[in-house]
Amino acid sequence: MKLLRLLVLLLALPVTAQQGGMWIPSLLKGMNQKEMKSLGMKMSASDIYDVNNSSLKDAVPHFNGGCTSEVISPQGLLLTNHHCGYGEIQSHSTVDHDYLTDGFWAMTMEEELPNPDMEVTFIVRIEDVTNQVLEGVSTLGSEEEKQKKIEANIANVSKTAKKEAHQENRVRTFYEGNQYMLFVTETYKDVRLVGAPPSSIGKFGSDTDNWVWPRHTGDFSLFRIYANKDNLPAEYSEDNVPYTPKHFFPVSLGGIEEGDFTLVFGYPGRTQEYLPAVAVEQIVEVLNPAKIEIRDAALKVADGFMRKDKQIKIQYASKYASIANYWKKWIGETQGLKKTNAVAVKRAFEKDFLKLAQKAGKTEEYGNLFKEFDKYYAEIEPYQLSRDYFIEVALRNTELLTIGYRLYQLERVFEARGEQSFNDRRNNTVSSLSGTYKNYNSTVDEKIFEQLIALYATKSPQQFVPDMLKNKDYAALTTAVYSQSQITSYAGVKALLEGDAKTVIERLNNDKGYQIIKAMMETYIQKVAPKYDEITLQIDALQRTYMKGILELSPKEARIFPDANSTMRVTYGQVKGYEPRDAVYYKPVTYLDGVIEKYVPGDYEFDVPQKLIDLYNKKDYGIYGENGKMPVCFIGTNHTTGGNSGSPAIDAKGNLIGLNFDRVWEGTMSDIYYDPSICRNIMVDIRYVLFVIDKYAGNKRLIDEMKLVNVKRK
């Protein structure tokens, strides 16, 4: 019984003490609903998710595949984070009309700006299809055979499950392949930019304050969904009309207090809560430090140019923010895992897991799990590290190499499918690269290349580095590449790609920049990827067995939630402060006073618009202030991750009280290990959003189309 109690404690403490967990909304009835009620929720599980009636889920679409958003009016007005809409705000910006610096506000629907390729996806219903997906799998021998059968079954379910013509079926795996769920979705592709504050509000604090509390960022932007005359999804057309939602969120002016119930709905991207200790140790000691060093080098170069040149600042704003986001996250994650002794905690759990397996007569099934984990993680380390170096240097942070990779794909298409396929891909590539080069500066990229290619060549496992990059003068190599390669300009690439396929391939292979990415790519394909995939398959099988054991051996009270996988989830908690270190306590709410305290005139990160200063000095907060102060942000115990950006923060009655946009730095390790003492999510107070729209931007028409409610406290 002692061991059983310990397992309950280890598994359930993070879940019950601070409501950690990312729950499938269709499965909330029962214990989840009971706990939410005990925390103060006034709704039912059916109010949150219902197939036959409108519910909260119908107001929470996946935003452009990477963020979350919420519908806040009967005319399809959509709220999400400023950083989620940043790319679109940037794409509409020019030096003369700099919406990043000045903000953008459509004063009429006719002024709302279309965004090609942007889309939002709603969940229609969720069904458990585990039995159908796993049918005939258990009798198969090898892991490869099992995966092929599962993929075939998924394809069949996706094809045959009931749906409307405009809808899609998507099957996703949960609990490491122990459960499968079908999501029926509908995607709207006409989404227009409605409003965005200047970056001095929407990105206030920028990279210095990213992942940090106290926070004072008005991280929001507004879009609108348009549909055809039948309210169905349609490509952009002037004839489209504002979408009429099944549900939209009433917006609360009631405010928040410490201890209030909070519900966050969204599409969290990826967590790894059930990794074995050896995997976490590898992340902390080997993988994260390498990725941090690469991005640190890239950021220092870009930052130096952005501070000196306004055009470069506009070109690189979105890219810089994207690179910096996970760079800082990995730093906090590593520190948090060390501070909370996550590796030691997981080793203790594994020890007791084995004792419980023995007690349950499951030693044959689970007894060698951790020895096998140790073996395979030791084998995969050089391949994983080499893969990370390749991805970070070639595919994410050096644009010449990233563009070169796309050209390499052209060569592969020609080899595999011939001239016609090559021509089709070539035309698409030339067209799409025009947008890439719009935000490209070869001088900036050259300095980044010089830093990163040296890291790749000297610190990546040497057996996987192409000979042409070993023992070089990397400054001289960089100069040669950027003075000779045609990939450094759009005109040069178009010239490279002119002519018949064989001529183009010959020309590409004589290009200095292309030669480097091709050598890197082929080394990766031949020496790294096959072995990496082979070992990963074995680790995945072990992880599936481990997850099965956790589910099987844990008592019901443990309530094991599935890892995030970009599917719709609910996480509930409370508004609550925390103690990041000895003798320091962070309150859960920040105010506009803090913005003014941080104000540095003309600073890249901490400048403040004069109009906002004037409103502050006059205390002109309208109906949105509280006791003479303007609330800006608050924190809660909701378990969130990347993908929850833009998620609605909802009160006990289903009203919108805030907008999720970040986590505190001390708790970023919650993707791997949720610790209730320091894990907090950060939200913009919805009253600050309304204040900026109304008092700062003067866009009363948007306020008028929302349903404002003033929740009275007991």
Side-chain angles (χ1 to χ4, degrees):
M1 287 301 296
K2 183 177 179 181
L3 286 171
L4 183 59
R5 285 196 300 272
L6 179 59
L7 182 58
V8 172
L9 177 66
L10 287 169
L11 287 175
L13 180 59
V15 175
T16 58
Q18 295 291 350
Q19 302 84 55
M22 299 175 176
W23 307 97
I24 302 171
S26 58
L27 304 177
L28 290 174
K29 291 181 179 178
M31 196 169 294
N32 287 113
Q33 180 175 257
K34 183 178 179 181
E35 183 174 57
M36 287 189 284
K37 294 275 190 181
S38 74
L39 293 169
M41 187 182 76
K42 307 300 182 185
M43 301 176 287
S44 69
S46 295
D47 292 325
I48 297 170
Y49 174 92
D50 197 311
V51 173
N52 300 314
N53 302 290
S54 68
S55 57
L56 298 188
K57 77 164 175 64
D58 298 314
V60 188
H62 204 179
F63 186 82
N64 215 28
C67 287
T68 303
S69 55
E70 51 274 355
V71 185
I72 57 171
S73 88
Q75 298 181 75
L77 188 62
L78 202 64
L79 179 66
T80 189
N81 286 156
H82 185 269
H83 74 260
C84 293
Y86 202 72
E88 282 63 43
I89 301 167
Q90 178 192 24
S91 70
H92 291 294
S93 294
T94 64
V95 172
D96 293 330
H97 298 283
D98 187 355
Y99 298 140
L100 289 176
T101 299
D102 303 327
F104 169 79
W105 304 99
M107 294 301 175
T108 65
M109 285 188 179
E110 288 72 27
E111 293 179 1
E112 294 173 359
L113 302 176
N115 300 283
D117 303 322
M118 173 172 273
E119 59 186 34
V120 296
T121 300
F122 289 90
I123 302 296
V124 178
R125 70 177 190 275
I126 307 171
E127 296 177 8
D128 191 318
V129 291
T130 305
N131 291 337
Q132 296 97 303
V133 171
L134 295 181
E135 184 178 0
V137 173
S138 61
T139 59
L140 300 175
S142 72
E143 201 53 39
E144 291 85 350
E145 290 176 314
K146 290 179 180 179
Q147 288 305 313
K148 286 181 181 179
K149 181 62 175 175
I150 287 171
E151 289 169 8
N153 288 347
I154 287 174
N156 184 59
V157 170
S158 299
K159 182 179 179 180
T160 60
K162 183 180 177 181
K163 69 176 182 66
E164 299 297 327
H166 67 279
Q167 296 172 345
E168 292 181 73
N169 289 331
R170 305 176 181 179
V171 176
R172 302 302 299 272
T173 180
F174 294 81
Y175 296 114
E176 310 294 347
N178 286 283
Q179 183 183 42
Y180 291 85
M181 305 291 284
L182 168 70
F183 292 79
V184 181
T185 65
E186 49 191 21
T187 297
Y188 287 78
K189 298 182 178 181
D190 186 352
V191 184
R192 306 181 194 179
L193 178 62
V194 174
S199 293
S200 52
I201 292 175
K203 206 171 181 289
F204 181 77
S206 191
D207 302 301
T208 297
D209 274 6
N210 191 22
W211 304 103
V212 168
W213 185 258
R215 197 67 170 275
H216 301 88
T217 312
D219 195 348
F220 77 92
S221 58
L222 293 157
F223 292 79
R224 192 184 305 279
I225 307 170
Y226 283 76
N228 67 17
K229 61 183 178 61
D230 298 316
N231 206 42
L232 295 176
E235 299 288 343
Y236 169 79
S237 169
E238 292 183 359
D239 296 329
N240 287 347
V241 297
Y243 166 69
T244 302
K246 298 175 185 175
H247 181 79
F248 65 91
F249 285 108
V251 180
S252 173
L253 294 176
I256 52 95
E257 290 181 357
E258 188 156 14
D260 278 359
F261 174 83
T262 53
L263 182 78
V264 172
F265 231 125
Y267 299 83
R270 183 170 182 255
T271 58
Q272 298 173 287
E273 303 288 342
Y274 307 102
L275 284 177
V278 64
V280 177
E281 187 172 43
Q282 190 175 91
I283 289 169
V284 169
E285 302 296 337
V286 180
L287 304 180
N288 275 2
K291 293 186 290 187
I292 290 167
E293 184 179 25
I294 292 167
R295 292 202 177 194
D296 185 57
L299 289 167
K300 285 179 179 176
V301 172
D303 181 65
F305 283 99
M306 290 170 69
R307 288 180 181 273
K308 297 175 183 177
D309 189 305
K310 186 175 182 180
Q311 179 63 36
I312 292 175
K313 180 183 175 182
I314 292 173
Q315 287 178 314
Y316 278 75
S318 182
K319 290 181 282 193
Y320 186 93
S322 177
I323 295 167
N325 190 41
Y326 263 71
W327 164 76
K328 195 167 185 178
K329 188 261 188 183
W330 289 326
I331 294 172
E333 177 181 85
T334 300
Q335 292 179 356
L337 290 170
K338 288 180 177 178
K339 180 179 179 179
T340 56
N341 296 313
V343 173
V345 170
K346 284 182 173 286
R347 290 203 190 283
F349 173 77
E350 290 165 9
K351 182 178 179 181
D352 290 300
F353 174 90
L354 291 176
K355 291 179 180 177
L356 281 173
Q358 183 179 26
K359 185 176 180 180
K362 297 284 185 176
T363 300
E364 184 175 346
E365 187 171 0
Y366 302 122
N368 290 319
L369 264 177
F370 303 111
K371 291 180 181 178
E372 291 291 295
F373 272 132
D374 288 345
K375 170 189 171 185
Y376 283 115
Y377 274 102
E379 286 185 15
I380 204 171
E381 183 171 303
Y383 298 95
Q384 177 70 70
L385 185 59
S386 180
R387 182 176 187 269
D388 284 350
Y389 269 103
F390 174 75
I391 290 173
E392 287 294 316
V393 172
L395 302 188
R396 287 186 178 156
N397 296 300
T398 312
E399 291 184 275
L400 179 140
L401 296 177
T402 303
I403 295 166
Y405 168 69
R406 296 176 66 178
L407 304 181
Y408 176 76
Q409 289 178 307
L410 272 176
E411 183 173 354
R412 295 292 296 269
V413 166
F414 174 64
E415 293 171 353
R417 292 180 240 164
E419 183 101 20
Q420 184 58 52
S421 294
F422 170 88
N423 289 333
D424 292 342
R425 175 68 73 90
R426 188 230 328 251
N427 294 338
N428 290 335
T429 299
V430 170
S431 175
S432 64
L433 282 176
S434 64
T436 301
Y437 280 99
K438 175 187 175 184
N439 295 317
Y440 176 78
N441 183 292
S442 63
T443 303
V444 178
D445 196 50
E446 179 177 354
K447 295 302 180 183
I448 291 174
F449 177 94
E450 181 180 338
Q451 296 290 317
L452 301 198
I453 203 68
L455 288 175
Y456 170 84
T458 60
K459 293 197 172 184
S460 179
Q462 290 300 291
Q463 65 270 38
F464 305 131
V465 175
D467 290 338
M468 69 179 299
L469 292 177
K470 290 182 179 179
N471 304 314
K472 299 292 183 181
D473 179 336
Y474 297 104
L477 174 66
T478 300
T479 300
V481 168
Y482 281 79
S483 63
Q484 298 174 30
S485 176
Q486 290 184 264
I487 301 176
T488 57
S489 72
Y490 187 44
V493 163
K494 287 195 292 185
L496 272 176
L497 297 181
E498 288 177 356
D500 63 87
K502 289 184 179 180
T503 300
V504 171
I505 300 303
E506 182 179 353
R507 197 181 291 131
L508 281 174
N509 280 278
N510 287 323
D511 184 273
K512 189 75 172 178
Y514 185 78
Q515 289 169 358
I516 289 178
I517 185 59
K518 183 173 181 178
M520 293 172 70
M521 192 70 220
E522 293 193 338
T523 299
Y524 176 77
I525 290 173
Q526 294 165 15
K527 295 184 178 181
V528 179
K531 192 66 176 178
Y532 173 83
D533 292 342
E534 176 188 323
I535 302 171
T536 297
L537 201 61
Q538 298 304 318
I539 289 175
D540 288 347
L542 287 173
Q543 192 69 42
R544 183 167 62 250
T545 301
Y546 184 30
M547 192 74 246
K548 178 175 176 288
I550 291 174
L551 293 169
E552 184 179 334
L553 298 175
S554 301
K556 185 178 179 181
E557 307 91 88
R559 298 165 53 244
I560 311 301
F561 61 91
D563 269 322
N565 59 357
S566 295
T567 58
M568 178 176 270
R569 303 294 180 91
V570 166
T571 173
Y572 47 90
Q574 295 174 303
V575 177
K576 195 167 185 178
Y578 72 108
E579 297 180 13
R581 51 193 174 274
D582 184 46
V584 175
Y585 178 76
Y586 283 148
K587 293 181 179 180
V589 180
T590 61
Y591 297 91
L592 191 56
D593 306 63
V595 174
I596 304 304
E597 289 170 3
K598 292 179 177 179
Y599 170 43
V600 180
D603 185 74
Y604 179 66
E605 299 178 303
F606 293 102
D607 200 5
V608 177
Q610 185 60 47
K611 186 171 183 180
L612 188 62
I613 295 172
D614 293 342
L615 289 167
Y616 172 78
N617 288 334
K618 296 174 185 177
K619 299 296 182 282
D620 186 5
Y621 304 142
I623 60 175
Y624 313 113
E626 179 180 76
N627 299 322
K629 302 181 78 171
M630 185 66 244
V632 175
C633 296
F634 64 98
I635 53 175
T637 61
N638 306 84
H639 189 175
T640 62
T641 188
N644 276 121
S645 290
S647 286
I650 305 160
D651 70 8
K653 294 183 178 180
N655 302 312
L656 189 67
I657 55 172
L659 180 65
N660 187 84
F661 70 97
D662 208 353
R663 286 172 285 166
V664 302
W665 203 33
E666 297 86 355
T668 52
M669 84 291 183
S670 62
D671 288 350
I672 295 171
Y673 176 63
Y674 180 91
D675 187 312
S677 67
I678 59 174
C679 291
R680 297 289 183 274
N681 65 309
I682 305 176
M683 297 158 276
V684 187
D685 193 305
I686 196 63
R687 292 171 295 174
Y688 188 56
V689 173
L690 298 175
F691 162 75
V692 172
I693 295 171
D694 186 353
K695 305 297 289 186
Y696 177 85
N699 202 320
K700 195 72 165 56
R701 72 154 184 133
L702 298 179
I703 303 293
D704 290 342
E705 73 174 84
M706 302 178 203
K707 179 182 178 181
L708 303 183
V709 296
N710 195 345
V711 179
K712 293 182 179 180
R713 296 186 173 277
K714 292 183 179 180

